[in-house]
Amino acid sequence: MYVDQISVFIENTPGSAAQVTQILDDAHLNIRALSLCDTSAYGVLRMILDEPDRAFEELKKAQLTIKSTPVLAVRLTDSAGGLNRVLQIVGMAGASVEYAYAFITRHSGTAVAILRVEGDDAKVAEMLQNEGIALWNQEEMLENLTPTEFYD
């Protein structure tokens, strides 16, 4: 029900994000989803990778400040109101969203929201599933985010 997310804390300077992506590129690791947020001094690069354990080790070897965090990967409809429905349930579970990022998938009409919630995430997950909203585990996430060719 959870997906491993790798967070890398980087300075807000030119080339710092590229340093991280170069390490991953050299190790032939594929970023499947990401979010980058920053302040004036630092940034947090959050990523879902094809091999999170190996990515963690590669980034650790580079002496970067990193963290692995379990997050919810919520499958929702790619239509108006899809995310609202999920967020309503999160609120009804007595939790709040610490952060989120979303993307569409290669499956028509499907999107995924990565959620980190403050509160009882197991209760949130249970309530989402009881309302018919699918949560992807690590294997399902990677299976459904396999790189595909771009279409014209």
Side-chain angles (χ1 to χ4, degrees):
M1 131 172 86
Y2 295 98
V3 173
D4 294 326
Q5 172 190 265
I6 305 294
S7 298
V8 184
F9 301 91
I10 56 177
E11 290 184 35
N12 191 359
T13 57
S16 59
Q19 176 191 4
V20 174
T21 57
Q22 185 64 59
I23 292 165
L24 298 172
D25 185 24
D26 290 346
H28 306 288
L29 290 160
N30 194 358
I31 301 168
R32 301 298 173 93
L34 70 85
S35 169
L36 176 62
C37 60
D38 68 345
T39 67
S40 60
Y42 69 92
V44 180
L45 178 60
R46 294 181 174 108
M47 300 173 287
I48 306 297
L49 292 118
D50 60 347
E51 298 179 59
D53 293 337
R54 195 162 70 85
F56 187 90
E57 290 306 315
E58 291 293 329
L59 295 166
K60 187 177 177 181
K61 280 194 290 189
Q63 299 181 332
L64 295 171
T65 303
I66 56 176
K67 181 180 179 183
S68 179
T69 307
V71 293
L72 297 173
V74 182
R75 185 175 173 189
L76 46 101
T77 57
D78 181 22
S79 63
L83 181 59
N84 179 56
R85 181 171 176 229
V86 168
L87 296 178
Q88 292 292 332
I89 295 167
V90 170
M92 288 188 300
S96 60
V97 176
E98 184 178 329
Y99 59 81
Y101 49 104
F103 52 92
I104 58 172
T105 71
R106 64 187 169 119
H107 301 290
S108 178
T110 303
V112 175
I114 301 296
L115 300 178
R116 175 75 172 161
V117 299
E118 288 186 9
D120 187 345
D121 56 353
K123 181 178 179 182
V124 170
E126 180 181 354
M127 288 182 70
L128 288 168
Q129 291 173 322
N130 287 344
E131 291 296 320
I133 297 173
L135 299 177
W136 280 347
N137 62 30
Q138 191 76 34
E139 184 178 297
E140 292 167 320
M141 180 77 162
L142 298 179
E143 178 182 301
N144 285 287
L145 296 180
T146 301
T148 58
E149 295 180 20
F150 289 95
Y151 298 95
D152 292 331

